[in-house]
Every structure is written in C-alpha cells, then in structure tokens.
Amino acid sequence: RIDAFDSNESPPLEPINFCSFVLEAFEDKIIIILCVAAVVELILGMVFGDHIELDWIDGFVIIIAIFVVVSVGSINNYSKEKKFRELVLKTRGDRRINIKRKGQWVDESEEALLVGDIIQIVSGMTMPCDSLIIKGQAELDESAMTGEIDPLVKLPLELCIENKNKKLEKLKSKGKGGKLSHHDVESPIILSGTKVNTGDGEAIILAVGPNSENGKIKATINSNKSSSDGTPLEQKLSDLADLIGWAGLGAAIVTFFG
C-alpha cells in the first residue's frame, strides 16, 4: 500500500546550517551598501588620506558594525529555527488516532495511517487524511480547506443516495424539476484538514500524505516559499526595503560630497 498510495509520514525536515543564515543576512540591501561603503572608506583612508595611520579606522568600524549585525541576526534566526523544528517534531509524535487493526481499535500515530485503514471519528478531531465515512455521521467545519463557513453533515454513501432520491421525489411530487444544489445533498467525502464539530463513526482512508487535499495545499505553499519571487506581501516588503536602501545610499553620497 505504501508503494502504491504513499504513506502519511511527514517529509523529513531539511538540515539547518548556520552559514545559510549568514549568507541570507548578506543578501540584505542595507548590508550590501554598508560593505561597499566600508571598502570605499578603507581605500580612501589608506591611499588618499592625510593621516593614513588613522584614516583606516572609519572603514574598519563599519566592518565591525556589519560583523555584529550579521552575527546577532544569524544567531537569533538559527536559534528560532532550531526551536521551531523541535516543536514540529514533538507535535508530530503527539498526534494520535484510533485505527482498526485486525478487528481491534489501536491507538497509533497519525503518521502510521495508510490507504484502506479504518479510523474512528470523534468530536473535536482534525481529519488527518482524505476519507470516506462508512458508519455513523459527523458535522464538519470545512472553512480551513474550502472557505465554507456553514458546517456540513457527512453520512455514509448509502444514506446520501437514499436522501438524494427522497428529495428528488419530493420535488417531482410538487411539480418542480431541476437539480438539487450542492448544499441540498449530503456527502460521504471528508477532506483532510477539516475539523469534526460533532459526530461519531468510522471512515476509510482514501488518500494520505502528499496525495491528500491538505498535502497538496502544503506542497503548493512550500513551492511558493521556495520560489524566487515570493508572495505578494514579501515582494512589497522587498520593494520597500530596496527603496529605503537607495534613499540611504543617496543621502550618504550627498553627505560625503557635501
């Protein structure tokens, strides 16, 4: 089943490297401008200065400032990323669910779920995989996945078909034709990432991991994060940072030659 349908195990986190945070800090426009200013100041002080033995100090002070800013920022980012990863790993192990194995309910980690497993639906749980309800009923909040603010009732397929036929017959008896709307017919499909408001029953797993709806959304988000363009908000913040950097550079040039 793992070979055919994948597993629900979360992908391993990429190892973090302190040097990557240092390189990221040097991509900041302000840091780049300060580096250029330090080099120019050193050259001017050591070559064209009236007091060569002292004029190099200004450039060296800028280098020290760059070192402090980059070091502090990189250490803070590295520490936060390390703590975040520890929290993620701890959270993964804490997510438990009842799975029917050999006719008995077994408390297992959500990462042990496979396509075809039968799980227990309880109130308050967040569905870990795409599934089909086969017993009982549940009222779900799908706002996190579909934006639907109204809770939706989930019933086994047989009851959904039976209720649909009854509603169609009722429409025909009133002389009304047409089709039923999406909200008029219950569905047996439960999407991963949706929350069970109330309910009790059983469901069979249809899709896990990257093949589930929640997994596809996570993959899209991760691909957007890795793209060079970034999100619209990140692009606007980057443009604002560039504008501030160029304004600072212009002010420095005017001050230097003024």
Side-chain angles (χ1 to χ4, degrees), residues 1-7 99-101 112-118 204-205 208 211:
R1 285 190 289 174
I2 294 177
D3 294 337
F5 305 107
D6 215 323
S7 70
I99 309 174
K100 184 171 284 188
R101 295 280 167 82
L113 288 171
L114 299 174
V115 171
D117 282 340
I118 296 177
I204 185 170
I205 301 299
V208 297
N211 299 319

Side-chain angles (χ1 to χ4, degrees), residues 212-229:
S212 66
E213 290 300 315
N214 195 30
K216 293 176 182 177
I217 291 176
K218 289 181 178 179
T220 302
I221 293 174
N222 291 333
S223 64
N224 289 336
K225 285 183 178 180
S226 61
S227 65
S228 57
D229 295 336

Side-chain angles (χ1 to χ4, degrees), residues 38-183:
V39 172
V40 171
E41 188 67 28
L42 282 174
I43 294 175
L44 292 178
M46 297 176 67
V47 178
F48 302 103
D50 296 331
H51 304 282
I52 298 177
E53 67 278 3
L54 297 176
D55 289 342
W56 61 271
I57 295 178
D58 291 339
F60 183 74
V61 168
I62 297 176
I63 294 176
I64 294 297
I66 294 172
F67 175 79
V68 171
V69 171
V70 171
S71 299
V72 172
S74 300
I75 292 173
N76 286 338
N77 291 336
Y78 179 80
S79 300
K80 288 189 291 185
E81 182 67 19
K82 189 175 180 180
K83 291 179 180 179
F84 173 74
R85 287 171 178 249
E86 291 175 354
L87 180 61
V88 169
L89 293 175
K90 182 178 182 299
T91 304
R92 286 180 181 178
D94 291 342
R95 296 198 300 261
R96 313 289 295 183
I97 193 169
N98 287 330
I99 309 174
K100 184 171 284 188
R101 295 280 167 82
K102 297 180 180 180
Q104 301 292 327
W105 290 111
V106 180
D107 181 53
E108 289 273 7
S109 169
E110 289 184 358
E111 297 196 348
L113 288 171
L114 299 174
V115 171
D117 282 340
I118 296 177
I119 62 173
Q120 186 177 23
I121 301 174
V122 295
S123 300
M125 71 179 295
T126 299
M127 297 302 296
C129 309
D130 296 343
S131 54
L132 179 77
I133 187 169
I134 57 176
K135 183 179 180 181
Q137 68 175 34
E139 182 186 83
L140 275 89
D141 177 9
E142 294 188 348
S143 58
M145 296 296 296
T146 64
E148 177 62 55
I149 59 175
D150 295 326
L152 299 178
V153 176
K154 304 294 179 176
L155 298 172
L157 180 60
E158 297 80 6
L159 289 178
C160 292
I161 295 175
E162 182 180 340
N163 291 342
K164 178 182 178 181
N165 292 333
K166 288 180 179 179
K167 291 178 180 178
L168 287 174
E169 291 176 1
K170 188 175 181 180
L171 288 176
K172 291 180 181 179
S173 65
K174 294 182 178 180
K176 298 179 181 179
K179 299 181 179 180
L180 295 171
S181 67
H182 172 70
H183 294 286

Side-chain angles (χ1 to χ4, degrees), residues 224-225 227-242:
N224 289 336
K225 285 183 178 180
S227 65
S228 57
D229 295 336
T231 63
L233 178 58
E234 289 173 341
Q235 292 178 13
K236 291 182 179 180
L237 291 175
S238 179
D239 293 341
L240 179 60
D242 291 343

